[in-house]
Amino acid sequence: MLLLRHHPASLRRRVRLDSAIHRLAMSTAASASAPPASSAASDYHCRTKHSLTAGYARGPGRLDWANQPNPFLRFSPPSQIPLPNPPPGIAGIPYPSLFHSPPPPPSPQPLSVDSLSALLFHSLALSAWKSAGVSTWSLRVNPSSGNLHPTEAHLLFEHPRDPGRLVVSHYAPRDHLLEVRSAAPLADFPALLPPPATAVLALSSIFWRESWKYGERALRYCNHDVGHALAAVAVAAAALGWDVRLLDGLSDEDLGYLVGVEKGAPPPPDGLPDKMVRGKAPWVERQHPDCAVLLFPAGSEPKVDYGVMSAALRGLDRLEWVGKANALSKDHVVWDVIYHTAEAVKKHGPAPGESFSVNPWRRNAALSDDLYKELTVQEVVRRRRSAVDMDGVHVMGRDTFYQIMLHCLPSGDVSPEELQGPPSALPFRVLPWDAEVHATLFVHRVSELPKGLYFLVRNEEHFDMLRRAMRQDFEWERPEGCPDGLPLYRLMKGDCQQIAMQISCFQDIASHGCFSLGMIARFELVLHEKGEWMYPRLFWETGVLGQVLYLEAHAVGISATGIGCYFDDAVHEVLGLKDLEFQSLYHFTVGAPVLDKRIMSLPAYPGPGIDA
């Protein structure tokens, strides 16, 4: 599970603050409590910041275990498509070769029940069950904040055993099967699968699953999870020889038809409330449509007409839909700001000049494949876990650190004349916009690399803007041995363990790994230039980057954890960032895990048959 601890008692710990944070704590904290109001997105973002001085964002305070949401959405009684488990006939691909071999990946697999099973088994399925004492709970291939899993997946495809029949289905990970919600002749909807497309996969969120624990800040975490899921699907698809690209010209309304928003939980009877409400509110279990991706053979480029596709999606609403959604909780808490913000940041159609396109496939830059363990892609993705503690001892090799950073670059292995920014490498190529997210790194235990604060510039067009926005006494020096083409800079030398722990809500895990990081996004200008609909997408990008860090850590034999609890403006103060030009959206830590021997691990399938 992602580490997202909310401990108000931590604020009372008497810890000597680093001077940069000390200056923030002694200030009036006006930037945290009274930011400039410019949009619904920025208002929500500032309102849900954790602050050293003003406290944590509004949350439940305690967990209502009696109403913990069911992590598994099911539709009863639909027809089902059982998926082979494990999927047969899928060759294991060495982890480095998927990223370092000349593109495109292996020869595309044909669409079949087996290939659909492999796609989902290695991206969104259960990966294990855990048991400790009287408690048993499931884990998934795709990570989630607090292991709460607000993300649902839906697949639209031509039934491989019934050619000419278009199927709209919901993926049920507990039993690894597809629930058929609707079907129609493919000839009636040709625009939905433009040749040679394989399928459309849509993601939706049930905000209540996340807000049950995290209150108002939950919208951030739901969108982190969407990004993790996008990357997980992109990697699993690449192992099948498929490419994946976001259908970002579709509106939220279009996506609602695809996931069957109106075919599940009812809408709010009296519109959205204007305050927090406690009690029975079944409508909060509705799915919020997030995005859809097109899956197609790598090396091809389907011709997508967003206008025609939008009209076809509206036609799905006229079909017969089957299956009634199960209730997830008896009672609810409605955090109204989540639903108002989600409404305000909806996308209503293609942006001016927006069209579907596929970037040339670029391999990721590589130092040496010998830096990785002898694992297949399939083994790495299914072994991924979120560490809950790190040993504070393990030292990472410098080349291993540089290799992980190279895999965090969106454009892959570019020529000296090119700049990082366009998303051409796996899995960043799923996103259609140039990188907006960078990484500030707290290096703790990397051999031959001085401890200190470093910065990875993932879009080099932003370099001058970043330097102007950040502290003027930063070094911006290339570290020793840094590979050509890796835009990594040392900002300052020094032991950053204390400061990393403090800004991450006093969580020791941020200082006990080899390195931790904060993901810094260009923020205010993006919302102004492109629109508020970019707000969730910035979090999706951080989730994609986080998934890369998870996979890289496990591929070299250690682990990682996403950290959603951090003091937003304390991070900005450390970097010298002011206003909303850049904002920290997600934190991460990478290191050697400490395993809890009291917890027993059980196979994912067959599971115990419980909803947990």
Side-chain angles (χ1 to χ4, degrees):
M1 68 190 75
L2 296 188
L3 193 68
L4 297 165
R5 295 175 180 166
H6 289 192
H7 293 324
S10 299
L11 290 176
R12 299 192 294 271
R13 291 176 58 177
R14 295 191 173 277
V15 183
R16 182 184 60 81
L17 298 182
D18 176 271
S19 59
I21 296 185
H22 180 74
R23 286 194 293 273
L24 176 73
M26 294 301 102
S27 73
T28 61
S31 62
S33 59
S38 56
S39 69
S42 58
D43 288 351
Y44 168 81
H45 188 73
C46 293
R47 171 177 173 153
T48 57
K49 288 182 177 182
H50 292 326
S51 168
L52 273 166
T53 53
Y56 291 94
R58 292 181 68 200
R62 63 176 183 83
L63 296 182
D64 178 9
W65 292 107
N67 286 299
Q68 181 179 10
N70 187 330
F72 300 115
L73 176 66
R74 296 301 298 266
F75 292 93
S76 178
S79 62
Q80 299 176 346
I81 303 176
L83 300 173
N85 179 11
I90 304 299
I93 299 173
Y95 178 82
S97 70
L98 187 66
F99 298 91
H100 300 164
S101 299
S107 298
Q109 293 279 333
L111 177 70
S112 67
V113 172
D114 290 352
S115 58
L116 286 176
S117 177
L119 174 74
L120 296 166
F121 190 74
H122 296 114
S123 60
L124 303 173
L126 301 192
S127 57
W129 286 86
K130 296 288 185 177
S131 181
V134 297
S135 298
T136 301
W137 64 97
S138 60
L139 302 180
R140 302 196 196 184
V141 176
N142 56 310
S144 172
S145 311
N147 200 35
L148 297 174
H149 290 286
T151 310
E152 297 291 334
H154 312 259
L155 267 174
L156 181 146
F157 57 97
E158 182 181 6
H159 199 307
R161 294 174 180 167
D162 189 1
R165 182 170 177 249
L166 185 71
V167 171
V168 184
S169 63
H170 168 255
Y171 177 55
R174 195 193 73 173
D175 300 302
H176 190 53
L177 55 81
L178 293 170
E179 300 174 321
V180 177
R181 304 289 322 280
S182 191
L186 177 60
D188 294 348
F189 296 91
L192 297 183
L193 289 176
T198 305
V200 174
L201 186 146
L203 299 175
S204 60
S205 294
I206 300 175
F207 298 146
W208 164 236
R209 282 208 187 113
E210 206 70 27
S211 64
W212 167 80
K213 183 175 183 179
Y214 296 120
E216 290 188 351
R217 200 166 161 104
L219 183 61
R220 297 180 179 214
Y221 302 155
C222 288
N223 285 299
H224 286 153
D225 288 3
V226 171
H228 280 288
L230 284 171
V233 169
V235 170
L240 295 167
W242 299 349
D243 204 353
V244 180
R245 189 72 163 178
L246 201 65
L247 290 164
D248 212 26
L250 296 177
S251 69
D252 281 49
E253 183 180 4
D254 296 333
L255 297 172
Y257 296 127
L258 180 57
V259 305
V261 168
E262 300 302 331
K263 312 299 181 179
D270 302 310
L272 294 177
D274 57 5
K275 63 180 180 180
M276 187 187 76
V277 177
R278 297 180 186 272
K280 195 170 184 63
W283 67 267
V284 302
E285 299 182 3
R286 280 167 68 86
Q287 298 178 74
H288 172 81
D290 293 308
C291 61
V293 295
L294 191 67
L295 295 97
F296 51 95
S300 65
E301 183 168 354
K303 297 186 182 303
V304 174
D305 184 319
Y306 280 129
V308 175
M309 183 175 280
S310 174
L313 286 170
R314 288 195 295 272
L316 294 181
D317 192 50
R318 297 189 291 271
L319 299 178
E320 179 186 1
W321 288 65
V322 296
K324 180 181 179 182
N326 59 317
L328 305 181
S329 298
K330 292 183 295 183
D331 285 308
H332 311 85
V333 178
V334 181
W335 298 93
D336 57 296
V337 68
I338 291 176
Y339 301 94
H340 285 287
T341 305
E343 189 70 25
V345 301
K346 282 183 175 180
K347 192 173 186 182
H348 298 288
E354 182 175 12
S355 61
F356 183 87
S357 63
V358 180
N359 287 350
W361 195 299
R362 285 262 178 82
R363 67 181 181 181
N364 299 74
L367 291 180
S368 171
D369 287 357
D370 293 337
L371 296 169
Y372 295 100
K373 302 295 183 182
E374 293 185 0
L375 299 170
T376 66
V377 174
Q378 292 86 348
E379 288 172 327
V380 171
V381 300
R382 290 198 56 80
R383 291 181 184 181
R384 184 217 62 80
R385 301 289 186 271
S386 296
V388 296
D389 194 8
M390 290 184 177
D391 65 8
V393 175
H394 181 79
V395 177
M396 177 182 288
R398 188 178 70 183
D399 283 351
T400 299
F401 175 75
Y402 286 150
Q403 180 62 74
I404 292 174
M405 292 299 103
L406 285 168
H407 270 203
C408 291
L409 298 178
S411 304
D413 193 6
V414 300
S415 67
E417 298 79 28
E418 296 175 285
L419 298 178
Q420 287 291 333
S424 300
L426 185 70
F428 303 105
R429 57 183 293 103
V430 69
L431 304 175
W433 60 85
D434 290 357
E436 299 287 5
V437 174
H438 309 276
T440 182
L441 297 127
F442 303 89
V443 173
H444 307 315
R445 296 171 186 84
V446 177
S447 63
E448 301 180 81
L449 196 65
K451 294 181 178 182
L453 188 64
Y454 293 73
F455 202 88
L456 180 67
V457 180
R458 297 183 63 253
N459 186 333
E460 293 180 277
E461 294 284 354
H462 300 170
F463 181 79
D464 292 338
M465 189 187 313
L466 286 161
R467 287 201 66 167
R468 286 194 303 268
M470 293 166 67
R471 293 184 179 276
Q472 295 306 296
D473 55 352
F474 281 157
E475 299 172 12
W476 291 98
E477 293 289 338
R478 298 261 295 157
E480 184 177 351
C482 186
D484 293 338
L486 178 60
L488 177 70
Y489 301 88
R490 187 182 64 242
L491 301 182
M492 58 181 289
K493 292 181 180 179
D495 192 330
C496 292
Q497 293 180 80
Q498 186 88 342
I499 196 172
M501 178 269 291
Q502 291 164 351
I503 62 178
S504 293
C505 297
F506 299 103
Q507 297 180 89
D508 289 332
I509 198 168
S511 62
H512 286 179
C514 301
F515 67 90
S516 61
L517 60 87
M519 300 185 195
I520 308 298
R522 194 172 70 104
F523 189 81
E524 193 170 39
L525 278 176
V526 173
L527 300 183
H528 177 72
E529 293 170 355
K530 298 183 180 180
E532 291 194 86
W533 51 267
M534 274 300 294
Y535 182 69
R537 286 159 176 79
L538 292 175
F539 285 91
W540 300 352
E541 186 177 337
T542 66
V544 173
L545 178 57
Q547 190 70 4
V548 170
L549 291 167
Y550 266 127
L551 299 186
E552 287 289 294
H554 283 77
V556 301
I558 53 177
S559 190
T561 286
I563 301 176
C565 186
Y566 55 86
F567 298 117
D568 300 62
D569 287 326
V571 181
H572 305 145
E573 176 70 12
V574 169
L575 298 175
L577 297 172
K578 302 182 185 303
D579 302 319
L580 297 175
E581 185 178 11
F582 291 92
Q583 291 287 288
S584 182
L585 301 187
Y586 197 12
H587 283 214
F588 236 83
T589 184
V590 176
V594 175
L595 302 179
D596 190 337
K597 296 181 180 179
R598 298 169 301 174
I599 299 176
M600 182 170 58
S601 186
L602 305 170
Y605 303 103
I610 61 174
D611 291 342

